[in-house]
Amino acid sequence: MSEQKQHILTEKEYQKIVKDKEPKRPVVRNCIRAFLVGGFICMLGQAISDIYIYFFNFTEKSAGNPTSATLIFISVLLTSLGIYDHIAQWAGAGTAIPVTGFANSMASAALEHRTEGYVLGVGSNMFKLAGSVIVFGVFSAFIIALIRTLVSMIGGA
Amino acid sequence: MKAGKQTWIFDNRPTILATAVVGGPREARGPLAEDFDLLHDDLLFGEKSFEKAERKLLEEACELAIRKADLKQEDIEFMLAGDLSNQIISSTFTSRGLAIPYLGLFGACSTSMEALALGALIVDTKFGNNVLCGTASHYAAVEKQYRYPTEYGSQKPDTAQWTVTGAGAAVLGQAGQGPQVVSATIGKVIDMGLKDPFNMGAAMAPAAVDTISAHCQDLDITPDHYDLIATGDLGRYGHALTLELFPKYHIDMPREKYVDCGMMIYYEHQPMLFAGASGTACSATVTYGHILNRMRKGELKRVLIVATGALLSPMSYQQKESIPCIAHAVAIEYSE
């Protein structure tokens, strides 16, 4: 044993072994699940919106905000009860993409950093995950608006 | 005495006088629940934060280990401890309460055996008679430190691992009856260029194999010398990779003798288990609880514990650095 020179495995060789052994990410399964759960959340949103329209005299346009608020409330509630992350493990992007995912990212960060106080903990960490969504969301919206304005200016001239 | 390149042989055979292991609710539902001295049924244990809960785990394990060794706090001359929190606060705050001269260690999940090896060195050289070695990790505190908020809904891949909520402590003393620390191999930092923090088993496997190989070469033995060889927290995929690597390093590892602590502490059907368990407490609780109990029952005589650690930080990962890993091996023999 002691006399044997050990075979030196290169990084590339090892990375290949890891790749071969690593379980493949079930992309198709994840897509189907995301489609089902994401679709279900949208359906729920539609139902909530209809309720606001038929029972509370909202119009199709004005029902949007209370519908989002209701979905956000449900998401925050499920996050605080420790259920949302379990659903998300099953659903993946299905729970991450709708407004519920955004609410979950903020609520979970707020809960997590509650122990560091309201200002330095909750306040400054709440957007830890959601912050980049806002930054790039606002930025892309700006670019799109700019393009649209330019197009209409050219079209108008 | 030093043997070969990186192994210490402890001629005076420091004895593990007593050990204590404490766990959380998930560990209580696992197959090794009976090997724990104390189990909690929620994650906060009545504390205000997960960080305080982690500290409480270590405090309880240390106090219990001292009591089980029939010693008093004042009898312990040195304490070696570490954990996964920033600035190893759980260990430091625990030692504040115990008022024992303290050395804080960080070796990520390899800290358990790093502490035991150094503790044995102190006792063996008679620079101290009674040394306390302990480590703790807490699922929620570690998630907060390394990953996302615990309630954040992110989908983890199958290669991810679940951090053990628990603590393990051992009191080492001069030769006596019981499990004795006979040798230790200090590992090198090995980095195979892997970058996925959700597949730490794969990153750490080469470090474990490197240390086992060095241990066998330094002592001129084969794995057959041991009744059991346990790696710290490689999980299912890391374990499989290790088996693949042994022949490449010319190690003739008997399959039935090689286990991984990360695959032992939970049942496979426990929810969100993924590839298995991890955390500093993983190797500490399994070794100081289950494995030493088996030695005390006479089922095992010689074991080699190879605690593995991934030495990344959340920042190094974001800066696209690869994951440097380490493994420390400690050989324990039972003497009647």
Side-chain angles (χ1 to χ4, degrees):
Chain A
M1 180 99 218
S2 57
E3 265 71 55
Q4 272 168 347
K5 262 261 174 268
Q6 70 185 34
H7 168 81
I8 299 185
L9 199 67
T10 64
E11 285 188 18
K12 278 230 166 74
E13 282 173 327
Y14 182 63
Q15 284 166 11
K16 198 187 166 292
I17 299 174
V18 172
K19 237 189 161 161
D20 292 343
K21 278 260 162 191
E22 208 172 53
K24 298 273 165 291
R25 286 214 184 194
V27 180
V28 176
R29 193 192 73 184
N30 286 353
C31 286
I32 293 170
R33 284 180 179 184
F35 176 78
L36 291 176
V37 177
F40 175 76
I41 292 171
C42 295
M43 199 181 76
L44 193 69
Q46 186 61 52
I48 293 166
S49 168
D50 286 349
I51 290 170
Y52 281 122
I53 293 167
Y54 292 117
F55 298 101
F56 298 98
N57 292 327
F58 280 87
T59 63
E60 210 163 301
K61 218 171 177 184
S62 64
N65 285 341
T67 303
S68 300
T70 311
L71 284 173
I72 288 168
F73 176 78
I74 295 169
S75 168
V76 172
L77 191 71
L78 291 175
T79 304
S80 343
L81 292 173
I83 301 170
Y84 199 89
D85 56 329
H86 289 265
I87 304 173
Q89 178 59 36
W90 195 87
T95 46
I97 301 296
V99 72
T100 51
F102 191 80
N104 162 257
S105 75
M106 288 186 68
S108 61
L111 276 173
E112 186 90 349
H113 294 280
R114 198 184 48 190
T115 50
E116 289 101 272
Y118 284 109
V119 177
L120 295 175
V122 176
S124 58
N125 284 297
M126 218 166 162
F127 287 93
K128 207 164 87 170
L129 297 159
S132 51
V133 179
I134 293 180
V135 170
F136 294 109
V138 170
F139 180 70
S140 347
F142 173 74
I143 296 290
I144 299 293
L146 205 66
I147 294 170
R148 190 172 179 258
T149 314
L150 285 173
V151 168
S152 65
M153 272 167 76
I154 295 162
Chain B
M1 187 181 83
K2 193 182 142 206
K5 271 162 81 181
Q6 57 199 84
T7 301
W8 293 332
I9 298 177
F10 304 117
D11 294 317
N12 295 322
R13 294 179 158 246
T15 307
I16 300 174
L17 301 176
T19 55
V21 288
V22 185
R26 202 179 164 89
E27 292 66 34
R29 286 192 286 272
L32 305 185
E34 282 189 9
D35 291 304
F36 280 83
D37 295 284
L38 192 64
L39 287 159
H40 291 279
D41 53 10
D42 74 295
L43 271 179
L44 275 170
F45 328 140
E47 297 292 330
K48 283 207 177 92
S49 69
F50 294 130
E51 289 74 17
K52 279 189 179 155
E54 186 177 76
R55 183 196 315 170
K56 189 172 181 183
L57 284 168
L58 189 57
E59 282 170 359
E60 285 173 341
C62 289
E63 278 161 19
L64 261 172
I66 297 170
R67 207 183 321 145
K68 279 171 82 181
D70 270 332
L71 292 170
K72 290 197 184 71
Q73 228 161 283
E74 325 54 287
D75 301 326
I76 308 293
E77 287 150 297
F78 299 100
M79 171 177 171
L80 304 168
D83 55 81
L84 291 170
S85 292
N86 267 349
Q87 285 80 35
I88 52 168
I89 46 171
S90 299
S91 307
T92 310
F93 285 66
T94 299
S95 82
R96 176 181 70 182
L98 292 171
I100 300 167
Y102 157 79
L103 289 166
L105 306 173
F106 181 79
C109 307
S110 72
T111 310
S112 58
M113 289 306 118
E114 185 183 359
L116 192 64
L118 287 169
L121 184 70
I122 294 174
V123 174
D124 189 62
T125 53
K126 302 213 163 47
F127 281 6
N129 287 314
N130 295 315
V131 176
L132 177 69
C133 310
T135 47
S137 60
H138 186 291
Y139 163 72
V142 170
E143 284 294 306
K144 182 174 176 178
Q145 162 81 62
Y146 282 90
R147 295 176 198 107
Y148 299 119
T150 37
E151 298 304 332
Y152 177 56
S154 68
Q155 195 175 37
K156 289 182 181 169
D158 284 344
T159 48
Q161 286 169 272
W162 185 279
T163 307
V164 170
T165 302
V171 177
L172 282 168
Q174 297 294 350
Q177 274 187 339
Q180 301 176 330
V181 182
V182 291
S183 65
T185 300
I186 306 302
K188 295 194 292 266
V189 174
I190 306 274
D191 189 335
M192 291 304 251
L194 296 185
K195 292 184 175 173
D196 183 3
F198 285 113
N199 193 359
M200 304 254 243
M204 296 190 291
V209 178
D210 186 82
T211 299
I212 294 171
S213 159
H215 181 80
C216 291
Q217 280 186 26
D218 287 349
L219 295 176
D220 203 7
I221 52 173
T222 61
D224 256 327
H225 181 74
Y226 295 102
D227 301 321
L228 188 81
I229 295 179
T231 45
D233 55 351
L234 299 179
R236 254 184 304 147
Y237 299 107
H239 180 264
L241 280 165
T242 314
L243 286 173
E244 199 107 325
L245 288 179
F246 284 133
K248 295 195 194 301
Y249 281 74
H250 306 290
I251 301 170
D252 187 19
M253 177 67 76
R255 246 197 125 107
E256 69 286 355
K257 282 190 180 177
Y258 170 55
V259 294
D260 182 68
C261 298
M263 292 161 74
M264 296 162 77
I265 193 162
Y266 301 128
Y267 285 115
E268 263 184 47
H269 58 75
Q270 280 182 280
M272 294 243 232
L273 174 67
F274 311 111
S278 70
T280 36
C282 183
S283 55
T285 52
V286 174
T287 306
Y288 294 155
H290 179 68
I291 293 177
L292 284 187
N293 280 346
R294 284 189 66 193
M295 292 185 93
R296 290 181 189 114
K297 279 186 221 152
E299 291 170 17
L300 301 166
K301 198 156 162 50
R302 294 193 190 119
V303 299
L304 183 70
I305 311 296
V306 189
T308 41
L311 305 170
L312 80 167
S313 88
M315 197 198 288
S316 73
Y317 153 67
Q318 284 168 352
Q319 293 176 345
K320 310 272 187 291
E321 299 266 3
S322 52
I323 306 173
C325 297
I326 197 159
H328 299 300
V330 173
I332 304 170
E333 266 184 45
Y334 198 82
S335 135
E336 301 294 327

